[in-house]
Amino acid sequence: MRPLLPFVYMMLLFSCNEKSSSTNAISSNADTPSQASTDVNTEDKVFDVPVLYKNWEMGSHENTRTVLKMYKAWDEKSIKDMEALLADSIIMELPDGKRRAAARDKMVEELVKARNHYLSTSNEIIAAYPIHNIDHNEDWVNVLVYNKWTYNDRVRDSLLYQDLWKIKDGKINYLLTLQLSPSRVGIKKLDEITNK
């Protein structure tokens, strides 16, 4: 249940910045205004609380491939691959309240600078699935990843991340990432799952 909470938090965060069109979509499909009102009320009663991003379907696995290539490019310090995967501009909402927004070239430069702090990194993908939001016609990829790294001074560390990537026209243009420090038992289980 805990890995789902960051996803719910992310969706609420996103929905605050977007105008909802679900009411218009329901109204435009109705035959009469009274029917539209009934449809909206029925739709709202599906959940006990208002949900702004509620109509989802499975997305394209091509989007998942794009995101997984980004993890690989990070681990391999591959600048060219990063450039090829990012949109012209990108926003990254990172843990601890850090936000990066820049054009592709500047973002790649910042990513390479950040990556240079590590001797090695390993992103072990636990789960990855593409989703499409019908309400806003947006494509996302949700990834649960166990990230392990070694700093240049050879100190090792690891965290569990819940990453939500937005894909537009086949390119990454947004990332929201949340982190969790697993318990010792959790770390052992993650190491078993990832065979490391």
Side-chain angles (χ1 to χ4, degrees), residues 61-75:
H61 286 295
E62 285 303 315
N63 293 335
T64 305
R65 285 185 187 93
T66 298
V67 167
L68 296 181
K69 286 178 185 176
M70 187 65 183
Y71 288 109
K72 184 177 180 183
W74 172 264
D75 288 343

Side-chain angles (χ1 to χ4, degrees), residues 29-43:
N29 292 334
D31 295 328
T32 64
S34 62
Q35 184 178 354
S37 176
T38 303
D39 289 347
V40 170
N41 292 337
T42 303
E43 183 68 21

